[in-house]
PDB file of all heavy atoms in Angstrom:
ATOM      1  N   PRO U 623     -33.747  69.960  -1.405  1.00 98.00           N
ATOM      2  CA  PRO U 623     -33.292  70.152  -0.010  1.00 98.00           C
ATOM      3  C   PRO U 623     -31.865  69.646   0.222  1.00 98.00           C
ATOM      4  O   PRO U 623     -31.210  70.075   1.162  1.00 98.00           O
ATOM      5  CB  PRO U 623     -34.288  69.338   0.825  1.00 98.00           C
ATOM      6  CG  PRO U 623     -35.288  68.769  -0.089  1.00 98.00           C
ATOM      7  CD  PRO U 623     -34.950  69.113  -1.492  1.00 98.00           C
ATOM      8  N   LEU U 624     -31.404  68.771  -0.658  1.00 98.00           N
ATOM      9  CA  LEU U 624     -30.032  68.256  -0.511  1.00 98.00           C
ATOM     10  C   LEU U 624     -29.017  69.157  -1.219  1.00 98.00           C
ATOM     11  O   LEU U 624     -27.813  68.932  -1.127  1.00 98.00           O
ATOM     12  CB  LEU U 624     -29.938  66.836  -1.104  1.00 98.00           C
ATOM     13  CG  LEU U 624     -30.788  65.760  -0.419  1.00 98.00           C
ATOM     14  CD1 LEU U 624     -30.841  64.494  -1.268  1.00 98.00           C
ATOM     15  CD2 LEU U 624     -30.217  65.441   0.971  1.00 98.00           C
ATOM     16  N   GLY U 625     -29.520  70.160  -1.948  1.00 98.00           N
ATOM     17  CA  GLY U 625     -28.641  71.079  -2.672  1.00 98.00           C
ATOM     18  C   GLY U 625     -27.989  70.436  -3.886  1.00 98.00           C
ATOM     19  O   GLY U 625     -26.900  70.839  -4.300  1.00 98.00           O
ATOM     20  N   VAL U 626     -28.653  69.425  -4.482  1.00 98.00           N
ATOM     21  CA  VAL U 626     -28.033  68.739  -5.625  1.00 98.00           C
ATOM     22  C   VAL U 626     -28.963  68.744  -6.851  1.00 98.00           C
ATOM     23  O   VAL U 626     -28.930  67.822  -7.671  1.00 98.00           O
ATOM     24  CB  VAL U 626     -27.596  67.295  -5.260  1.00 98.00           C
ATOM     25  CG1 VAL U 626     -26.575  67.304  -4.126  1.00 98.00           C
ATOM     26  CG2 VAL U 626     -28.791  66.417  -4.882  1.00 98.00           C
ATOM     27  N   GLU U 627     -29.746  69.811  -6.968  1.00 98.00           N
ATOM     28  CA  GLU U 627     -30.711  69.894  -8.066  1.00 98.00           C
ATOM     29  C   GLU U 627     -30.040  69.738  -9.438  1.00 98.00           C
ATOM     30  O   GLU U 627     -30.591  69.113 -10.350  1.00 98.00           O
ATOM     31  CB  GLU U 627     -31.404  71.252  -7.966  1.00 98.00           C
ATOM     32  CG  GLU U 627     -32.708  71.307  -8.702  1.00 98.00           C
ATOM     33  CD  GLU U 627     -33.423  72.636  -8.482  1.00 98.00           C
ATOM     34  OE1 GLU U 627     -33.322  73.219  -7.371  1.00 98.00           O
ATOM     35  OE2 GLU U 627     -34.066  73.094  -9.441  1.00 98.00           O
ATOM     36  N   GLU U 628     -28.835  70.303  -9.549  1.00 98.00           N
ATOM     37  CA  GLU U 628     -28.162  70.267 -10.866  1.00 98.00           C
ATOM     38  C   GLU U 628     -27.799  68.837 -11.285  1.00 98.00           C
ATOM     39  O   GLU U 628     -27.533  68.583 -12.460  1.00 98.00           O
ATOM     40  CB  GLU U 628     -26.938  71.201 -10.909  1.00 98.00           C
ATOM     41  CG  GLU U 628     -25.736  70.765 -10.102  1.00 98.00           C
ATOM     42  CD  GLU U 628     -25.906  70.933  -8.580  1.00 98.00           C
ATOM     43  OE1 GLU U 628     -26.967  71.434  -8.114  1.00 98.00           O
ATOM     44  OE2 GLU U 628     -24.986  70.554  -7.859  1.00 98.00           O
ATOM     45  N   ALA U 629     -27.835  67.894 -10.321  1.00 98.00           N
ATOM     46  CA  ALA U 629     -27.544  66.490 -10.675  1.00 98.00           C
ATOM     47  C   ALA U 629     -28.719  65.873 -11.432  1.00 98.00           C
ATOM     48  O   ALA U 629     -28.532  64.917 -12.189  1.00 98.00           O
ATOM     49  CB  ALA U 629     -27.252  65.681  -9.415  1.00 98.00           C
ATOM     50  N   VAL U 630     -29.926  66.397 -11.224  1.00 98.00           N
ATOM     51  CA  VAL U 630     -31.091  65.757 -11.857  1.00 98.00           C
ATOM     52  C   VAL U 630     -31.672  66.547 -13.026  1.00 98.00           C
ATOM     53  O   VAL U 630     -32.332  65.970 -13.895  1.00 98.00           O
ATOM     54  CB  VAL U 630     -32.233  65.456 -10.839  1.00 98.00           C
ATOM     55  CG1 VAL U 630     -31.777  64.414  -9.839  1.00 98.00           C
ATOM     56  CG2 VAL U 630     -32.754  66.701 -10.138  1.00 98.00           C
ATOM     57  N   THR U 631     -31.424  67.857 -13.094  1.00 98.00           N
ATOM     58  CA  THR U 631     -32.094  68.648 -14.147  1.00 98.00           C
ATOM     59  C   THR U 631     -31.769  68.177 -15.572  1.00 98.00           C
ATOM     60  O   THR U 631     -32.692  68.048 -16.372  1.00 98.00           O
ATOM     61  CB  THR U 631     -31.886  70.168 -13.979  1.00 98.00           C
ATOM     62  OG1 THR U 631     -30.561  70.393 -13.505  1.00 98.00           O
ATOM     63  CG2 THR U 631     -32.860  70.763 -13.007  1.00 98.00           C
ATOM     64  N   PRO U 632     -30.515  67.853 -15.918  1.00 98.00           N
ATOM     65  CA  PRO U 632     -30.285  67.394 -17.294  1.00 98.00           C
ATOM     66  C   PRO U 632     -31.021  66.083 -17.605  1.00 98.00           C
ATOM     67  O   PRO U 632     -31.534  65.897 -18.711  1.00 98.00           O
ATOM     68  CB  PRO U 632     -28.765  67.176 -17.371  1.00 98.00           C
ATOM     69  CG  PRO U 632     -28.189  67.632 -16.094  1.00 98.00           C
ATOM     70  CD  PRO U 632     -29.277  67.926 -15.128  1.00 98.00           C
ATOM     71  N   LEU U 633     -31.107  65.197 -16.621  1.00 98.00           N
ATOM     72  CA  LEU U 633     -31.799  63.919 -16.839  1.00 98.00           C
ATOM     73  C   LEU U 633     -33.301  64.134 -17.000  1.00 98.00           C
ATOM     74  O   LEU U 633     -33.954  63.491 -17.830  1.00 98.00           O
ATOM     75  CB  LEU U 633     -31.526  62.980 -15.660  1.00 98.00           C
ATOM     76  CG  LEU U 633     -30.139  62.343 -15.633  1.00 98.00           C
ATOM     77  CD1 LEU U 633     -29.840  61.749 -14.260  1.00 98.00           C
ATOM     78  CD2 LEU U 633     -30.050  61.256 -16.701  1.00 98.00           C
ATOM     79  N   LEU U 634     -33.845  65.056 -16.210  1.00 98.00           N
ATOM     80  CA  LEU U 634     -35.285  65.322 -16.301  1.00 98.00           C
ATOM     81  C   LEU U 634     -35.623  65.963 -17.651  1.00 98.00           C
ATOM     82  O   LEU U 634     -36.671  65.697 -18.234  1.00 98.00           O
ATOM     83  CB  LEU U 634     -35.741  66.195 -15.124  1.00 98.00           C
ATOM     84  CG  LEU U 634     -35.679  65.458 -13.767  1.00 98.00           C
ATOM     85  CD1 LEU U 634     -35.799  66.430 -12.597  1.00 98.00           C
ATOM     86  CD2 LEU U 634     -36.780  64.382 -13.687  1.00 98.00           C
ATOM     87  N   LYS U 635     -34.721  66.775 -18.131  1.00 98.00           N
ATOM     88  CA  LYS U 635     -34.886  67.394 -19.467  1.00 98.00           C
ATOM     89  C   LYS U 635     -34.870  66.292 -20.536  1.00 98.00           C
ATOM     90  O   LYS U 635     -35.700  66.276 -21.444  1.00 98.00           O
ATOM     91  CB  LYS U 635     -33.711  68.359 -19.668  1.00 98.00           C
ATOM     92  CG  LYS U 635     -33.780  69.238 -20.851  1.00 98.00           C
ATOM     93  CD  LYS U 635     -34.205  70.672 -20.448  1.00 98.00           C
ATOM     94  CE  LYS U 635     -34.949  71.395 -21.559  1.00 98.00           C
ATOM     95  NZ  LYS U 635     -36.304  71.035 -21.790  1.00 98.00           N
ATOM     96  N   GLU U 636     -33.914  65.368 -20.390  1.00 98.00           N
ATOM     97  CA  GLU U 636     -33.823  64.270 -21.358  1.00 98.00           C
ATOM     98  C   GLU U 636     -35.083  63.406 -21.330  1.00 98.00           C
ATOM     99  O   GLU U 636     -35.566  62.957 -22.377  1.00 98.00           O
ATOM    100  CB  GLU U 636     -32.575  63.419 -21.032  1.00 98.00           C
ATOM    101  CG  GLU U 636     -32.235  62.412 -22.109  1.00 98.00           C
ATOM    102  CD  GLU U 636     -31.128  61.448 -21.674  1.00 98.00           C
ATOM    103  OE1 GLU U 636     -30.261  61.815 -20.839  1.00 98.00           O
ATOM    104  OE2 GLU U 636     -31.149  60.304 -22.166  1.00 98.00           O
ATOM    105  N   LEU U 637     -35.626  63.210 -20.122  1.00 98.00           N
ATOM    106  CA  LEU U 637     -36.867  62.427 -20.015  1.00 98.00           C
ATOM    107  C   LEU U 637     -38.007  63.160 -20.727  1.00 98.00           C
ATOM    108  O   LEU U 637     -38.796  62.542 -21.458  1.00 98.00           O
ATOM    109  CB  LEU U 637     -37.208  62.183 -18.531  1.00 98.00           C
ATOM    110  CG  LEU U 637     -38.500  61.428 -18.249  1.00 98.00           C
ATOM    111  CD1 LEU U 637     -38.483  60.025 -18.861  1.00 98.00           C
ATOM    112  CD2 LEU U 637     -38.762  61.311 -16.738  1.00 98.00           C
ATOM    113  N   GLU U 638     -38.057  64.463 -20.535  1.00 98.00           N
ATOM    114  CA  GLU U 638     -39.114  65.256 -21.193  1.00 98.00           C
ATOM    115  C   GLU U 638     -38.999  65.123 -22.719  1.00 98.00           C
ATOM    116  O   GLU U 638     -39.994  64.911 -23.416  1.00 98.00           O
ATOM    117  CB  GLU U 638     -39.000  66.721 -20.771  1.00 98.00           C
ATOM    118  CG  GLU U 638     -40.169  67.561 -21.244  1.00 98.00           C
ATOM    119  CD  GLU U 638     -40.006  69.034 -20.894  1.00 98.00           C
ATOM    120  OE1 GLU U 638     -38.886  69.452 -20.501  1.00 98.00           O
ATOM    121  OE2 GLU U 638     -40.995  69.767 -21.025  1.00 98.00           O
ATOM    122  N   GLU U 639     -37.764  65.186 -23.205  1.00 98.00           N
ATOM    123  CA  GLU U 639     -37.561  65.047 -24.668  1.00 98.00           C
ATOM    124  C   GLU U 639     -37.946  63.647 -25.145  1.00 98.00           C
ATOM    125  O   GLU U 639     -38.430  63.476 -26.259  1.00 98.00           O
ATOM    126  CB  GLU U 639     -36.095  65.324 -25.032  1.00 98.00           C
ATOM    127  CG  GLU U 639     -35.787  66.814 -25.025  1.00 98.00           C
ATOM    128  CD  GLU U 639     -34.308  67.120 -24.825  1.00 98.00           C
ATOM    129  OE1 GLU U 639     -33.484  66.186 -24.908  1.00 98.00           O
ATOM    130  OE2 GLU U 639     -34.003  68.298 -24.564  1.00 98.00           O
TER     131      GLU U 639
END
Side-chain angles (χ1 to χ4, degrees):
L624 297 168
V626 300
E627 200 175 326
E628 71 286 358
V630 294
T631 37
L633 284 165
L634 291 166
K635 189 102 209 76
E636 191 188 331
L637 178 61
E638 188 184 13
E639 283 157 12

